[in-house]
Amino acid sequence: HMDTMPPERRQRFLDNLLSDTQRLKNLVNRLLELARADAIEPSRQTSQLPELVRAMQNRFHERGLDIEADALPATPLAIAPDALETVLGNLFDNSLHHGATLVRLTANPNSTHERLFLSVHDNGQGISAANRERIFTPFFTTRRNEGGTGLGLEIVVSLLKAYNATIYLGSAESGAEFILELALAH
């Protein structure tokens, strides 16, 4: 019916088609990322948190997000650098999408010094009480109209699980806070 449509209706139709195509492309890419995360064979590589964060600071600063990290321990973490970068990158992206301009990282080893608790706390909109229970549910997103797939945190959970690590929601009164529990390399 393209030939009989008025030009403005034709353009709206084409715009909707392009938008839907982009949303499907994003969904397929995120599903592929999730499949890779679920099937990952953990490597014996370790990560240095200070180095990795320094490398990410410039990249995210250019996008409008400052990352503050004071006194991160140089103790090697039992997670491959690319996996940890993907985990932090997803969290930083979420912060940006929810209005944050600053993320503060705080690290604390547990009493046995076998695990490291890393707080990732932003100054964005935070997470509503209604959504707190749902954010780790695959495909749950508050950004569907903007192309969100609801798979970012599921990818994070899968990657961390492969490296004997976990993530949970913190109890910050403002912004959003996630706590990563990471194994230290020995």
Side-chain angles (χ1 to χ4, degrees):
H1 304 281
M2 291 296 279
D3 297 337
T4 60
M5 278 186 196
E8 62 276 352
R9 187 167 178 211
R10 184 179 322 134
Q11 188 59 49
R12 188 174 53 230
F13 179 78
L14 290 172
D15 289 345
N16 287 341
L17 190 61
L18 287 172
S19 175
D20 289 346
T21 302
Q22 187 60 45
R23 189 167 40 253
L24 285 172
K25 180 181 173 187
N26 289 344
L27 181 59
V28 168
N29 287 337
R30 293 303 266 184
L31 285 169
L32 288 171
E33 282 182 67
L34 179 58
R36 281 192 294 273
D38 282 343
I40 193 170
E41 288 292 326
S43 73
R44 295 214 174 268
Q45 288 182 299
T46 61
S47 296
Q48 292 288 334
L49 195 54
E51 284 176 23
L52 188 91
V53 169
R54 266 193 302 279
M56 296 181 83
Q57 281 173 322
N58 289 336
R59 191 168 73 231
F60 279 90
H61 178 75
E62 291 172 1
R63 295 176 55 196
L65 185 69
D66 288 324
I67 301 167
E68 289 185 0
D70 299 325
L72 293 177
T75 310
L77 299 172
I79 183 171
D82 59 334
L84 185 56
E85 183 173 355
T86 299
V87 166
L88 291 175
N90 270 298
L91 294 175
F92 297 161
D93 281 335
N94 283 350
S95 293
L96 270 172
H97 292 310
H98 291 93
T101 57
L102 175 68
V103 172
R104 178 175 298 281
L105 302 179
T106 309
N108 295 302
N110 71 350
S111 58
T112 62
H113 294 282
E114 294 192 11
R115 315 276 297 162
L116 181 80
F117 294 92
L118 179 65
S119 166
V120 180
H121 184 191
D122 71 30
N123 68 346
Q125 299 163 356
I127 301 165
S128 71
N131 290 341
R132 288 182 70 81
E133 298 297 318
R134 301 169 59 195
I135 61 165
F136 289 107
T137 303
F139 300 105
F140 172 75
T141 180
T142 58
R143 299 184 45 256
R144 189 148 334 270
N145 292 338
E146 299 151 37
T149 62
L151 292 173
L153 287 176
E154 184 66 14
I155 292 166
V156 165
V157 167
S158 289
L159 283 172
L160 290 173
K161 186 183 207 181
Y163 285 95
N164 190 28
T166 58
I167 183 172
Y168 55 91
L169 196 53
S171 57
E173 292 185 24
S174 65
E177 179 186 31
F178 289 90
I179 310 293
L180 304 176
E181 184 181 339
L182 303 163
L184 295 175
H186 295 291

Coordinates of all heavy atoms in Angstrom, one line a residue, residues 29-113:
N29 N 21.2 -9.3 19.8 CA 22.5 -9.1 20.3 C 22.7 -9.4 21.8 O 23.6 -10.1 22.3 CB 23.0 -7.7 20.0 CG 23.4 -7.5 18.6 OD1 23.6 -8.5 17.8 ND2 23.3 -6.3 18.1
R30 N 21.7 -9.0 22.6 CA 21.7 -9.2 24.0 C 21.5 -10.7 24.4 O 22.1 -11.2 25.3 CB 20.7 -8.4 24.8 CG 20.9 -6.9 24.7 CD 22.3 -6.5 25.3 NE 22.1 -6.2 26.7 CZ 23.1 -5.8 27.5 NH1 24.3 -5.6 27.0 NH2 22.9 -5.5 28.7
L31 N 20.6 -11.4 23.6 CA 20.4 -12.8 23.8 C 21.7 -13.6 23.5 O 22.0 -14.5 24.2 CB 19.3 -13.3 22.9 CG 17.9 -13.0 23.4 CD1 16.8 -13.3 22.4 CD2 17.6 -13.7 24.7
L32 N 22.4 -13.1 22.4 CA 23.7 -13.8 22.1 C 24.7 -13.5 23.3 O 25.5 -14.4 23.6 CB 24.3 -13.2 20.8 CG 23.5 -13.7 19.6 CD1 24.0 -13.0 18.3 CD2 23.7 -15.2 19.4
E33 N 24.8 -12.3 23.8 CA 25.6 -12.0 25.0 C 25.3 -12.9 26.1 O 26.2 -13.5 26.8 CB 25.5 -10.6 25.4 CG 26.2 -9.6 24.5 CD 26.1 -8.2 25.1 OE1 26.6 -7.9 26.2 OE2 25.4 -7.3 24.4
L34 N 24.0 -13.1 26.4 CA 23.5 -13.9 27.5 C 23.9 -15.4 27.3 O 24.4 -16.0 28.2 CB 22.0 -13.8 27.7 CG 21.4 -14.6 28.8 CD1 22.1 -14.3 30.2 CD2 19.9 -14.4 28.9
A35 N 23.7 -15.9 26.1 CA 24.1 -17.2 25.7 C 25.6 -17.5 26.0 O 26.0 -18.5 26.5 CB 23.7 -17.6 24.3
R36 N 26.4 -16.5 25.5 CA 27.9 -16.6 25.7 C 28.2 -16.6 27.2 O 29.1 -17.3 27.7 CB 28.6 -15.5 25.0 CG 28.8 -15.7 23.5 CD 29.8 -14.7 22.9 NE 29.3 -13.3 22.9 CZ 28.5 -12.8 22.0 NH1 28.1 -13.5 20.9 NH2 28.1 -11.5 22.0
A37 N 27.5 -15.7 28.0 CA 27.8 -15.6 29.4 C 27.4 -16.9 30.1 O 28.1 -17.4 31.0 CB 27.0 -14.4 30.0
D38 N 26.3 -17.5 29.7 CA 25.8 -18.8 30.3 C 26.8 -19.9 30.0 O 26.9 -20.9 30.8 CB 24.4 -19.1 29.8 CG 23.3 -18.3 30.5 OD1 23.6 -17.8 31.6 OD2 22.2 -18.3 30.0
A39 N 27.4 -19.9 28.8 CA 28.2 -21.0 28.4 C 29.7 -20.8 28.6 O 30.5 -21.6 28.3 CB 28.0 -21.2 26.9
I40 N 30.1 -19.7 29.3 CA 31.5 -19.3 29.5 C 32.2 -20.4 30.3 O 31.7 -20.9 31.3 CB 31.6 -17.9 30.1 CG1 33.1 -17.4 29.9 CG2 31.2 -17.9 31.5 CD1 33.2 -16.0 30.3
E41 N 33.4 -20.7 29.9 CA 34.3 -21.5 30.7 C 35.2 -20.6 31.4 O 36.0 -19.9 30.7 CB 35.1 -22.5 29.8 CG 34.3 -23.6 29.2 CD 33.8 -24.6 30.2 OE1 34.5 -24.8 31.2 OE2 32.7 -25.1 30.0
P42 N 35.1 -20.5 32.7 CA 35.9 -19.6 33.4 C 37.4 -19.8 33.2 O 37.9 -20.9 33.2 CB 35.6 -19.8 34.9 CG 34.7 -20.9 35.0 CD 34.3 -21.3 33.6
S43 N 38.1 -18.7 32.9 CA 39.6 -18.9 32.7 C 40.3 -18.7 34.1 O 39.7 -18.3 35.0 CB 40.0 -17.8 31.7 OG 40.1 -16.6 32.3
R44 N 41.5 -19.0 34.0 CA 42.3 -18.8 35.3 C 42.9 -17.4 35.3 O 43.7 -17.1 36.2 CB 43.5 -19.8 35.3 CG 42.9 -21.2 35.4 CD 43.9 -22.1 36.3 NE 43.4 -23.4 36.6 CZ 42.6 -23.7 37.6 NH1 42.3 -22.8 38.5 NH2 42.3 -24.9 37.8
Q45 N 42.6 -16.5 34.4 CA 43.0 -15.1 34.4 C 42.5 -14.4 35.7 O 41.5 -14.8 36.2 CB 42.5 -14.4 33.2 CG 43.1 -14.8 31.9 CD 42.6 -13.9 30.8 OE1 41.4 -13.9 30.5 NE2 43.4 -13.1 30.1
T46 N 43.3 -13.5 36.1 CA 42.9 -12.6 37.2 C 42.8 -11.2 36.8 O 43.3 -10.8 35.8 CB 43.9 -12.8 38.4 OG1 45.2 -12.3 38.0 CG2 44.0 -14.2 38.9
S47 N 42.1 -10.4 37.6 CA 41.9 -9.0 37.3 C 42.5 -8.1 38.4 O 42.4 -8.5 39.6 CB 40.4 -8.7 37.2 OG 39.8 -9.3 36.2
Q48 N 43.0 -7.0 38.0 CA 43.5 -6.0 39.0 C 42.4 -4.9 38.9 O 42.3 -4.2 37.9 CB 44.8 -5.5 38.6 CG 45.9 -6.5 38.7 CD 46.3 -6.7 40.2 OE1 46.1 -5.9 41.1 NE2 46.8 -7.9 40.4
L49 N 41.7 -4.7 40.0 CA 40.6 -3.8 40.0 C 41.0 -2.3 39.7 O 40.4 -1.7 38.9 CB 39.8 -3.9 41.3 CG 38.5 -3.2 41.4 CD1 37.5 -3.7 40.3 CD2 37.8 -3.5 42.7
P50 N 42.1 -1.8 40.3 CA 42.5 -0.5 40.0 C 42.8 -0.2 38.6 O 42.4 0.8 38.0 CB 43.8 -0.3 40.9 CG 43.6 -1.3 42.0 CD 42.9 -2.4 41.4
E51 N 43.5 -1.1 37.9 CA 43.9 -1.0 36.5 C 42.6 -0.9 35.6 O 42.5 -0.1 34.7 CB 44.7 -2.2 36.0 CG 46.1 -2.2 36.4 CD 46.8 -3.4 36.0 OE1 46.4 -4.1 35.0 OE2 47.9 -3.8 36.6
L52 N 41.7 -1.9 35.9 CA 40.5 -2.0 35.1 C 39.6 -0.7 35.2 O 39.1 -0.2 34.2 CB 39.7 -3.2 35.5 CG 38.5 -3.6 34.6 CD1 39.0 -4.5 33.5 CD2 37.4 -4.2 35.4
V53 N 39.5 -0.3 36.4 CA 38.6 0.9 36.7 C 39.3 2.1 36.0 O 38.6 2.9 35.4 CB 38.4 1.1 38.2 CG1 37.8 2.5 38.5 CG2 37.5 0.0 38.7
R54 N 40.6 2.3 36.1 CA 41.3 3.4 35.4 C 41.0 3.4 33.9 O 40.7 4.4 33.3 CB 42.8 3.4 35.7 CG 43.2 4.2 36.9 CD 44.7 4.4 36.9 NE 45.5 3.2 36.9 CZ 45.7 2.5 38.0 NH1 45.2 2.8 39.2 NH2 46.5 1.4 38.0
A55 N 41.1 2.2 33.3 CA 40.8 2.1 31.9 C 39.4 2.5 31.6 O 39.1 3.1 30.5 CB 41.1 0.7 31.4
M56 N 38.4 2.2 32.4 CA 37.0 2.5 32.2 C 36.6 4.0 32.5 O 35.7 4.5 31.9 CB 36.1 1.5 33.0 CG 36.3 0.1 32.6 SD 35.2 -1.0 33.5 CE 33.7 -0.8 32.5
Q57 N 37.4 4.6 33.4 CA 37.0 6.0 33.8 C 37.0 6.9 32.6 O 36.1 7.7 32.4 CB 38.0 6.5 34.8 CG 37.7 5.9 36.2 CD 38.8 6.3 37.2 OE1 40.0 6.3 36.9 NE2 38.3 6.6 38.4
N58 N 38.0 6.9 31.7 CA 38.0 7.8 30.6 C 36.9 7.5 29.6 O 36.2 8.5 29.1 CB 39.4 7.7 29.8 CG 40.5 8.3 30.6 OD1 40.3 9.1 31.4 ND2 41.7 7.8 30.3
R59 N 36.7 6.3 29.3 CA 35.6 5.9 28.4 C 34.2 6.4 28.9 O 33.4 6.9 28.1 CB 35.6 4.4 28.2 CG 34.7 4.0 27.1 CD 34.9 2.5 26.7 NE 34.4 1.6 27.7 CZ 35.0 0.6 28.3 NH1 36.3 0.4 28.0 NH2 34.5 -0.2 29.2
F60 N 33.9 6.2 30.2 CA 32.6 6.6 30.7 C 32.6 8.1 31.0 O 31.5 8.7 30.9 CB 32.2 5.8 31.9 CG 31.7 4.5 31.5 CD1 32.5 3.4 31.3 CD2 30.3 4.3 31.2 CE1 32.0 2.2 30.9 CE2 29.8 3.1 30.8 CZ 30.6 2.0 30.6
H61 N 33.7 8.8 31.2 CA 33.7 10.2 31.4 C 33.3 10.9 30.2 O 32.5 11.9 30.2 CB 35.1 10.7 31.9 CG 35.2 12.2 32.0 ND1 34.7 12.8 33.1 CD2 35.7 13.1 31.2 CE1 34.9 14.1 33.0 NE2 35.5 14.3 31.8
E62 N 33.7 10.4 29.0 CA 33.3 11.0 27.7 C 31.8 10.9 27.5 O 31.3 11.6 26.7 CB 34.1 10.3 26.6 CG 35.6 10.6 26.6 CD 36.3 9.7 25.6 OE1 35.7 8.9 24.9 OE2 37.6 9.9 25.5
R63 N 31.2 9.9 28.1 CA 29.7 9.7 28.0 C 28.9 10.4 29.1 O 27.7 10.3 29.1 CB 29.4 8.2 28.0 CG 30.1 7.5 26.8 CD 29.8 6.0 26.8 NE 28.4 5.7 27.0 CZ 28.0 4.4 27.3 NH1 28.9 3.5 27.5 NH2 26.7 4.2 27.4
G64 N 29.7 11.1 30.0 CA 29.0 11.9 31.0 C 28.9 11.2 32.4 O 28.1 11.7 33.2
L65 N 29.6 10.2 32.6 CA 29.6 9.5 33.9 C 31.0 9.5 34.5 O 31.9 9.0 33.9 CB 29.1 8.1 33.7 CG 28.9 7.3 35.0 CD1 27.7 7.8 35.8 CD2 28.7 5.8 34.7
D66 N 31.1 10.1 35.7 CA 32.4 10.1 36.4 C 32.4 8.9 37.3 O 31.4 8.6 38.0 CB 32.6 11.4 37.2 CG 32.9 12.6 36.3 OD1 33.6 12.4 35.3 OD2 32.4 13.7 36.6
I67 N 33.5 8.2 37.4 CA 33.7 7.0 38.2 C 34.7 7.4 39.3 O 35.9 7.6 39.0 CB 34.1 5.8 37.4 CG1 33.0 5.5 36.4 CG2 34.3 4.6 38.3 CD1 33.5 4.5 35.3
E68 N 34.3 7.4 40.6 CA 35.2 7.7 41.7 C 35.5 6.4 42.4 O 34.6 5.6 42.7 CB 34.6 8.7 42.7 CG 34.5 10.1 42.1 CD 34.0 11.0 43.2 OE1 33.7 10.6 44.3 OE2 33.9 12.2 42.8
A69 N 36.8 6.1 42.6 CA 37.2 4.9 43.3 C 38.4 5.2 44.1 O 39.5 5.5 43.6 CB 37.6 3.8 42.2
D70 N 38.2 5.2 45.4 CA 39.4 5.5 46.3 C 39.9 4.3 46.9 O 39.2 3.4 47.4 CB 38.9 6.4 47.5 CG 38.3 7.8 46.9 OD1 38.9 8.3 45.9 OD2 37.4 8.3 47.5
A71 N 41.2 4.1 46.9 CA 41.9 3.0 47.5 C 41.4 1.7 47.2 O 41.1 0.9 48.1 CB 41.9 3.3 49.1
L72 N 41.2 1.4 45.9 CA 40.8 0.0 45.6 C 42.0 -0.9 45.8 O 43.1 -0.6 45.4 CB 40.4 0.0 44.1 CG 39.1 0.7 43.7 CD1 38.9 0.6 42.2 CD2 37.9 0.2 44.5
P73 N 41.8 -2.1 46.4 CA 42.9 -2.9 46.7 C 43.5 -3.5 45.4 O 42.8 -3.8 44.4 CB 42.3 -4.0 47.5 CG 40.9 -4.0 47.2 CD 40.5 -2.6 46.8
A74 N 44.8 -3.7 45.4 CA 45.5 -4.3 44.2 C 45.5 -5.8 44.3 O 46.2 -6.4 43.4 CB 46.9 -3.7 44.1
T75 N 44.8 -6.4 45.2 CA 44.8 -7.8 45.3 C 44.1 -8.4 44.1 O 43.0 -7.9 43.7 CB 43.9 -8.2 46.6 OG1 44.4 -7.5 47.7 CG2 44.0 -9.7 46.8
P76 N 44.7 -9.4 43.4 CA 44.1 -10.0 42.2 C 42.8 -10.6 42.5 O 42.6 -11.3 43.5 CB 45.1 -11.0 41.7 CG 46.3 -10.8 42.6 CD 46.0 -10.0 43.8
L77 N 41.8 -10.4 41.6 CA 40.5 -11.0 41.7 C 40.4 -12.2 40.8 O 41.0 -12.2 39.7 CB 39.4 -10.0 41.3 CG 39.4 -8.7 42.1 CD1 38.4 -7.7 41.5 CD2 39.0 -9.1 43.6
A78 N 39.7 -13.3 41.2 CA 39.6 -14.5 40.5 C 38.5 -14.4 39.4 O 37.5 -15.1 39.4 CB 39.3 -15.7 41.4
I79 N 38.7 -13.5 38.5 CA 37.7 -13.3 37.4 C 38.5 -12.7 36.2 O 39.4 -11.8 36.5 CB 36.5 -12.4 37.8 CG1 35.5 -12.2 36.7 CG2 37.0 -11.0 38.3 CD1 34.2 -11.5 37.1
A80 N 38.2 -13.1 35.0 CA 39.0 -12.6 33.9 C 38.7 -11.1 33.7 O 37.5 -10.7 33.9 CB 38.6 -13.4 32.6
P81 N 39.6 -10.4 33.2 CA 39.4 -8.9 33.0 C 38.3 -8.6 32.1 O 37.5 -7.7 32.4 CB 40.8 -8.4 32.4 CG 41.8 -9.4 32.9 CD 41.0 -10.8 32.9
D82 N 38.1 -9.4 31.0 CA 37.0 -9.0 30.1 C 35.7 -9.3 30.7 O 34.7 -8.6 30.5 CB 37.2 -9.8 28.8 CG 37.2 -11.3 28.9 OD1 37.6 -11.8 30.0 OD2 36.9 -12.0 27.9
A83 N 35.6 -10.3 31.6 CA 34.3 -10.6 32.2 C 34.0 -9.5 33.3 O 32.9 -9.0 33.3 CB 34.4 -12.0 32.9
L84 N 35.0 -9.1 34.0 CA 34.8 -8.0 35.0 C 34.4 -6.7 34.3 O 33.6 -5.9 34.8 CB 36.0 -7.9 35.9 CG 35.8 -6.9 37.1 CD1 34.6 -7.2 38.0 CD2 37.1 -6.8 37.9
E85 N 35.1 -6.4 33.2 CA 34.8 -5.2 32.5 C 33.4 -5.2 31.9 O 32.7 -4.2 31.9 CB 35.8 -5.0 31.3 CG 35.6 -3.8 30.6 CD 36.7 -3.5 29.5 OE1 37.6 -4.3 29.4 OE2 36.5 -2.5 28.8
T86 N 32.9 -6.4 31.5 CA 31.5 -6.5 31.0 C 30.5 -6.3 32.1 O 29.5 -5.6 32.0 CB 31.3 -7.9 30.3 OG1 32.1 -8.0 29.2 CG2 29.8 -8.0 29.9
V87 N 30.8 -6.9 33.3 CA 30.0 -6.7 34.5 C 29.9 -5.2 34.9 O 28.8 -4.6 35.0 CB 30.5 -7.5 35.7 CG1 29.9 -7.1 37.0 CG2 30.3 -9.0 35.4
L88 N 31.0 -4.6 35.0 CA 31.0 -3.2 35.5 C 30.5 -2.3 34.4 O 29.7 -1.3 34.6 CB 32.5 -2.7 35.8 CG 33.0 -3.3 37.1 CD1 34.5 -2.9 37.3 CD2 32.2 -3.0 38.3
G89 N 30.8 -2.6 33.1 CA 30.2 -1.8 32.0 C 28.7 -1.8 31.9 O 28.1 -0.8 31.7
N90 N 28.1 -3.0 32.2 CA 26.7 -3.1 32.2 C 26.1 -2.2 33.4 O 25.1 -1.5 33.2 CB 26.2 -4.5 32.4 CG 26.0 -5.2 31.1 OD1 25.2 -4.8 30.3 ND2 26.7 -6.3 30.8
L91 N 26.7 -2.3 34.5 CA 26.3 -1.5 35.7 C 26.4 0.0 35.4 O 25.5 0.8 35.7 CB 27.0 -1.9 36.9 CG 26.7 -3.3 37.4 CD1 27.6 -3.6 38.6 CD2 25.2 -3.5 37.8
F92 N 27.5 0.4 34.8 CA 27.8 1.8 34.5 C 26.8 2.3 33.4 O 26.2 3.4 33.5 CB 29.2 2.1 34.0 CG 30.2 1.8 35.1 CD1 31.6 1.6 34.7 CD2 29.9 1.7 36.4 CE1 32.6 1.3 35.6 CE2 30.9 1.4 37.4 CZ 32.2 1.2 37.0
D93 N 26.5 1.4 32.4 CA 25.5 1.8 31.4 C 24.1 2.0 32.0 O 23.4 3.0 31.7 CB 25.4 0.7 30.3 CG 26.5 0.8 29.3 OD1 27.1 1.8 29.1 OD2 26.8 -0.3 28.7
N94 N 23.8 1.1 32.9 CA 22.5 1.3 33.6 C 22.4 2.6 34.4 O 21.4 3.3 34.4 CB 22.2 0.1 34.6 CG 21.8 -1.2 33.9 OD1 21.5 -1.2 32.7 ND2 21.8 -2.3 34.6
S95 N 23.5 2.9 35.0 CA 23.6 4.2 35.8 C 23.3 5.4 34.8 O 22.5 6.3 35.1 CB 24.9 4.3 36.5 OG 25.1 3.4 37.5
L96 N 24.0 5.4 33.7 CA 23.8 6.4 32.7 C 22.4 6.5 32.2 O 21.8 7.6 32.2 CB 24.7 6.2 31.5 CG 26.1 6.8 31.5 CD1 26.9 6.3 30.4 CD2 26.1 8.3 31.6
H97 N 21.8 5.4 32.0 CA 20.4 5.3 31.5 C 19.4 5.8 32.5 O 18.3 6.2 32.1 CB 20.0 3.9 31.0 CG 20.8 3.4 29.8 ND1 20.9 4.2 28.6 CD2 21.4 2.3 29.6 CE1 21.6 3.5 27.8 NE2 21.9 2.4 28.3
H98 N 19.8 5.8 33.7 CA 18.9 6.3 34.8 C 19.3 7.6 35.4 O 19.1 7.9 36.6 CB 18.7 5.2 35.8 CG 18.0 4.0 35.3 ND1 18.6 2.9 34.7 CD2 16.6 3.8 35.1 CE1 17.7 2.1 34.2 NE2 16.5 2.6 34.5
G99 N 20.0 8.4 34.6 CA 20.3 9.8 35.0 C 21.5 10.0 35.9 O 21.7 11.2 36.4
A100 N 22.3 9.0 36.1 CA 23.5 9.2 37.0 C 24.6 10.0 36.3 O 24.7 9.9 35.1 CB 24.0 7.9 37.5
T101 N 25.3 10.8 37.0 CA 26.5 11.5 36.5 C 27.7 11.0 37.3 O 28.8 11.4 36.9 CB 26.3 13.0 36.7 OG1 26.1 13.3 38.1 CG2 25.2 13.5 35.8
L102 N 27.5 10.3 38.4 CA 28.6 9.8 39.2 C 28.4 8.4 39.7 O 27.2 8.1 40.1 CB 28.7 10.8 40.4 CG 29.8 10.4 41.5 CD1 31.2 10.5 40.9 CD2 29.6 11.3 42.7
V103 N 29.4 7.6 39.7 CA 29.4 6.3 40.3 C 30.6 6.2 41.3 O 31.7 6.6 40.9 CB 29.5 5.1 39.3 CG1 29.6 3.8 40.0 CG2 28.3 5.1 38.4
R104 N 30.3 5.8 42.5 CA 31.4 5.6 43.5 C 31.6 4.1 43.8 O 30.6 3.4 44.1 CB 31.0 6.3 44.8 CG 32.1 6.2 45.9 CD 31.8 7.0 47.1 NE 31.8 8.4 46.9 CZ 32.8 9.2 46.7 NH1 34.0 8.6 46.8 NH2 32.7 10.5 46.5
L105 N 32.8 3.7 43.7 CA 33.2 2.3 43.9 C 33.9 2.2 45.3 O 34.8 3.0 45.5 CB 34.1 1.8 42.9 CG 33.6 1.8 41.4 CD1 34.7 1.2 40.5 CD2 32.3 1.0 41.3
T106 N 33.5 1.3 46.1 CA 34.1 1.1 47.4 C 34.3 -0.4 47.6 O 33.4 -1.2 47.4 CB 33.1 1.6 48.6 OG1 32.7 3.0 48.3 CG2 33.9 1.6 49.9
A107 N 35.5 -0.7 48.0 CA 35.8 -2.2 48.1 C 36.2 -2.5 49.6 O 36.9 -1.7 50.3 CB 37.0 -2.5 47.2
N108 N 35.7 -3.6 50.0 CA 36.0 -4.1 51.4 C 36.2 -5.6 51.3 O 35.3 -6.4 50.9 CB 34.8 -3.8 52.4 CG 34.6 -2.4 52.6 OD1 35.6 -1.7 53.0 ND2 33.5 -1.9 52.2
P109 N 37.3 -6.1 51.8 CA 37.5 -7.6 51.9 C 36.7 -8.1 53.0 O 36.4 -7.4 54.0 CB 39.0 -7.8 52.1 CG 39.4 -6.5 52.7 CD 38.5 -5.4 52.2
N110 N 36.3 -9.4 52.9 CA 35.6 -10.0 54.1 C 36.6 -10.4 55.1 O 37.8 -10.2 54.9 CB 34.7 -11.2 53.7 CG 35.5 -12.4 53.3 OD1 36.7 -12.4 53.1 ND2 34.8 -13.5 53.1
S111 N 36.1 -10.8 56.3 CA 37.0 -11.1 57.4 C 38.1 -12.1 57.1 O 39.2 -12.1 57.7 CB 36.2 -11.4 58.7 OG 35.4 -12.6 58.4
T112 N 37.8 -13.1 56.3 CA 38.8 -14.2 56.0 C 39.7 -13.8 54.8 O 40.6 -14.6 54.4 CB 38.0 -15.5 55.6 OG1 37.2 -15.3 54.4 CG2 37.2 -15.9 56.8
H113 N 39.4 -12.6 54.2 CA 40.2 -12.1 53.1 C 40.2 -13.1 51.9 O 41.2 -13.2 51.2 CB 41.7 -11.8 53.5 CG 41.7 -10.7 54.4 ND1 41.6 -9.4 54.0 CD2 41.8 -10.6 55.8 CE1 41.7 -8.6 55.1 NE2 41.8 -9.3 56.2

